[in-house]
Amino acid sequence: MTDDVAEGQQVPAGFDPRLLGKAQSDVDEQDVQRGKLVQYVSFKVDDSEYGIDIMAVREIQGWVTVTTLPNTPEYVRGVLNLRGTIVPIFDLRCRFGNGLTDATPLHVVIIVAVGERIMGLLVDAVSDILTIGTEEILPVPEIEARSDQRFLNGLITVQDRMVALLQIEKLFDIDELVARVGAAAE
């Protein structure tokens, strides 16, 4: 068997062989490291689009049936075993006061880390990875006392749509959840 290497061809000018197999991006990694740029995973819940810090996201997976727990708030859909870690799954639609999600295999669970805890967020669909400058984050206007407003960190405009940035550490009191489930187990 012969190797069909094209002999006599030149390596293009400016080609850096160290970049072989590396994904290329328009994002300047130095700007990300300096904090000028931040990245968010955006997703949809009903007709609204939200974003969470990409550094908190551990993985994204399709909806699977979970094991329900007694004595938990309605927005806690249950738990799943993720490679040996018991992960609580939270229904964001319900958490925002819009009723339970009628979860189907088309729904998505975003696995996130909050401090030392791992949790899952049930959402309708993941939309995009957004890279923005920190100066593009707008403050949340205090125009209406919506239940989900206290979870917001800011707003960004992406093309013709508005994305609300979530503070996931304010979405759920996992220590309270642990105490409630523990009390039910006694």
Side-chain angles (χ1 to χ4, degrees), residues 63-70 72 76-81 86-89:
W63 170 254
V64 295
T65 303
V66 296
T67 302
T68 58
L69 296 175
T72 56
V76 178
R77 295 300 295 258
V79 294
L80 67 82
N81 185 341
I86 304 303
V87 178
I89 306 298

Side-chain angles (χ1 to χ4, degrees), residues 46-134:
D46 291 326
D47 293 330
S48 298
E49 190 168 356
Y50 298 92
I52 55 176
D53 188 338
I54 198 169
M55 297 306 289
V57 176
R58 296 298 175 251
E59 66 181 82
I60 298 168
Q61 66 176 36
W63 170 254
V64 295
T65 303
V66 296
T67 302
T68 58
L69 296 175
N71 201 26
T72 56
E74 186 179 25
Y75 58 82
V76 178
R77 295 300 295 258
V79 294
L80 67 82
N81 185 341
L82 184 67
R83 295 180 292 280
T85 301
I86 304 303
V87 178
I89 306 298
F90 298 94
D91 185 333
L92 280 189
R93 175 180 289 125
C94 187
R95 182 65 175 130
F96 296 153
N98 298 324
L100 281 175
T101 300
D102 184 18
T104 70
L106 298 177
H107 285 85
V108 176
V109 175
I110 303 174
I111 305 296
V112 296
V114 179
E116 297 177 353
R117 305 260 187 197
I118 302 291
M119 62 181 68
L121 308 175
L122 175 61
V123 302
D124 292 344
V126 171
S127 305
D128 206 351
I129 294 175
L130 306 172
T131 302
I132 59 169
T134 53

